[in-house]
Amino acid sequence: MRWNKWIRQMHRWLSLAFTLAVIANIAAMGMAEPAVWIGLLALVPLIPLLITGLYLFALPYLARRRGVEG
């Protein structure tokens, strides 16, 4: 299935973007007055990361339900 591979790859890149956003957020907290948008920066990749993660989590259960092993 091409969709599964594409979603898995997208999930990996989103997790990298989320990690970088969290690091930027932590670095900004060290500043005197951090900008509000930096705090919200981590939410941008987090929402699609949640969606793709739930899809990948459900894949084995859906495949088992259809009778496909793998």
Side-chain angles (χ1 to χ4, degrees):
M1 291 234 162
R2 291 188 187 271
W3 278 104
N4 292 344
K5 190 174 183 179
W6 186 78
I7 290 176
R8 189 175 308 273
Q9 188 67 31
M10 187 172 71
H11 186 77
R12 289 178 184 148
W13 282 106
L14 284 169
S15 66
L16 180 67
F18 177 70
T19 303
L20 292 175
V22 169
I23 290 171
N25 196 356
I26 292 170
M29 289 175 130
M31 295 180 174
E33 184 150 344
V36 176
W37 64 271
I38 294 179
L40 299 176
L41 186 65
L43 292 178
V44 174
L46 185 63
I47 294 167
L49 189 65
L50 172 68
I51 294 168
T52 57
L54 289 173
Y55 174 79
L56 292 173
F57 177 77
L59 268 180
Y61 300 106
L62 296 174
R64 202 175 313 150
R65 192 173 203 182
R66 284 185 268 150
V68 177
E69 288 293 321

